[in-house]
Each structure stands twice: as C-alpha cells, then as structure tokens.
Amino acid sequence: MAPVELTCRIRVEQANDSEADSSQLEKPSAMALKGCPDVDLETRLQWEREVRELFGATHDHIRPWDILAKPDGSIELLSTESTAVGGLYPARFQIPSSCLRGLGHGQRIKRTEMFAMASLLYEMMTGRQPFEELTDDEVQQRFSEGDFPDDAASLPNSLYIYSGWSEEFSQELTKRVDNRDITLLQSVGSYAKAHPFLTGIQIVGLTLSAASIWAVPILGAVGFTASGPAAGSLAAGWQASMGAVKAGSLFSWCQSAAMGGSALGGIQAVGAAGAALIRMRDVPELAEIFKKVFRNPNQLPRA
C-alpha cells in the first residue's frame, strides 16, 4: 500500500466580498501565499513565530498541518485528520528517508516534523514552496544532498529554517556558542562592524523577541562593553544622541545585557536556533558549518 500523503500547507485568510445581508455571517475564504504578495514582512514574521510555537518541542507522532494565516498576524490550525501510520508529507516538505537511516523512532518523528516546519517557514517568507520548478523526485534528490534553495540563506529567519532542515546544524550552533567558539563569534562580530547601521536595526532597534544568543557578541561589536559604551563606537554615538539615558529604555537594556545584567537572561532564553534577523548569508561561517554537518546519506553506514 502506498503511503498516505499528509496535509502540509499554509494559506492566507481572505475576507469575502459579498453583497449579502450583513446579518448573514460567511466563512472567510483562504488563498495560497503565492497569491498574496502584498503581505508585509512584520506580518510574515508574526506568522513565523506562531508556527514555531505551534510545532513546539513535543513530537509524539507525525501530524498533518493545515494552517490558516490571518491578516492580524495570528494563525489557526484547521486540519483535524488523524495521523496515518507511514504517512508522508508532500515532497517539498518531506525529509528524505535516506537522511533518517540509523535513527531511533523518536528522532525520526522529530526530524520529519521539523523539516516540514522549515519548508513551511520558507514558503511563508517567499510565497512559494522550495524548488517549485522541479519534479518531486528531483526535489527529494536535492534535499538528500543538502542542496536547498539559494535564496533561503537571504531570508530574515534563515537560521530557523536551516536549523529545521538539519538537526545537526542546530546542535552544532548550540555547541559552538556554549563553547564560545572564537572563529564563529569573530565572524558575527565582523558582520556587525561592517554593517553597523543594519546591525543596529536588527539587534538594537527591534523588540526583545528579535534578539537571541547572537545579540551578546553583536552588542560588543557595536560598542557595548562591560564598562559602558566604547569611545567612538555606534553605541557611544547612540548614547550621545539621546542625552540622558532613561532607566528601562532600549539603550539601557542593551547595556545591561553587555554587562551581564538581568537583560542577558532574556536574550539567552530565546535559544540557539534563534537569531531571527541574522541571515545565513551575512555570516559565511554559518553556511560552511551547515555543509559540514548536514546528515548526508552518503556518509552514513549502510543498513
């Protein structure tokens, strides 16, 4: 018997244009993301955060996903179908079976769902599924070789996407940050120094939810130190433009994090798969890590 194909899709809620009596409530229609190019980045990022929370940390079985994204940034899970034993996601959301060889049942379930989530996040940001121009077999072959769409590395949530496509990548990032890997932190710092204004937008000028474990080395790179803003740095210039720094302001929060204060815990709590607005392409070291650790079936022992 052929495997059952499980639903894995995201659509956007559309208000019905109806001249019917306003007292008659009509169910909103849904449209594929491809047909909604005008959705702004902030709304897409809100959907992304909710989808990541929806998938969660528990993976007891492979679940179908029929997601309705709403204009206010919220999402709703529509699918109520039960999971079928041996069910598979569509090719663009399915981790290749060769990449699961040698893994226990729990890991196979987790990686299958996280891979599907990563492809959903890609579609959410681009409005198209991975490799739409290829056949299903060609897509699976690309995936098995660790070959993913080139533009994925340029997306503002690319670290989440690549961490879903490769559990080893997520684990390696966690290990390197925990061990204070100098090469990686220097790469992140070099990006921050080369793009101080962009970094200021990405890390300093956004909400706490946009911060991550990468914020600490980046804050240092733009001039926040344990003893205060470094002379001549972006941080010092920001402080000078403000005059008196108010307690509780974003500036004081960043300085507290750099000094190891209470804000530091808020940054680190976001997790190692975070760095929502640091893109893979911005730090070449990240792409090299992904290529090195991706679970290529050619490197695995034969069953």
Side-chain angles (χ1 to χ4, degrees), residues 124-185:
M124 193 175 299
M125 300 305 294
T126 64
R128 60 185 180 277
Q129 297 177 4
F131 296 131
E132 286 190 342
E133 71 282 6
L134 303 180
T135 67
D136 288 357
D137 288 343
E138 290 171 334
V139 170
Q140 283 289 290
Q141 181 63 34
R142 292 283 189 97
F143 285 167
S144 70
E145 296 171 352
D147 185 3
F148 296 92
D150 292 337
D151 61 344
S154 302
L155 300 176
N157 61 344
S158 56
L159 279 187
Y160 289 122
I161 294 174
Y162 280 86
S163 292
W165 279 333
S166 172
E167 174 71 13
E168 283 74 21
F169 178 64
S170 180
Q171 293 173 353
E172 184 68 14
L173 288 187
T174 302
K175 182 176 71 174
R176 292 194 182 213
V177 172
D178 287 346
N179 294 336
R180 303 278 180 177
D181 184 290
I182 294 299
T183 301
L184 181 57
L185 296 185

Side-chain angles (χ1 to χ4, degrees), residues 70-92:
K70 302 186 178 183
D72 64 0
S74 64
I75 62 172
E76 179 182 349
L77 184 61
L78 300 179
S79 181
T80 58
E81 63 185 287
S82 59
T83 302
V85 176
L88 297 175
Y89 293 123
R92 287 157 182 77

Side-chain angles (χ1 to χ4, degrees), residues 45-114:
L45 289 173
Q46 286 181 284
W47 291 340
E48 182 247 18
R49 288 191 289 271
E50 291 218 11
V51 166
R52 286 190 285 107
E53 292 177 4
L54 185 66
F55 273 73
T58 302
H59 304 275
D60 298 325
H61 55 275
I62 299 173
R63 297 163 287 185
W65 300 99
D66 190 0
I67 299 170
L68 180 66
K70 302 186 178 183
D72 64 0
S74 64
I75 62 172
E76 179 182 349
L77 184 61
L78 300 179
S79 181
T80 58
E81 63 185 287
S82 59
T83 302
V85 176
L88 297 175
Y89 293 123
R92 287 157 182 77
F93 302 91
Q94 176 64 36
I95 186 171
S97 59
S98 57
C99 294
L100 297 174
R101 191 167 63 237
L103 297 175
H105 180 69
Q107 272 293 309
R108 292 169 69 90
I109 291 175
K110 176 184 177 182
R111 293 181 185 225
T112 297
E113 288 209 321
M114 295 306 292

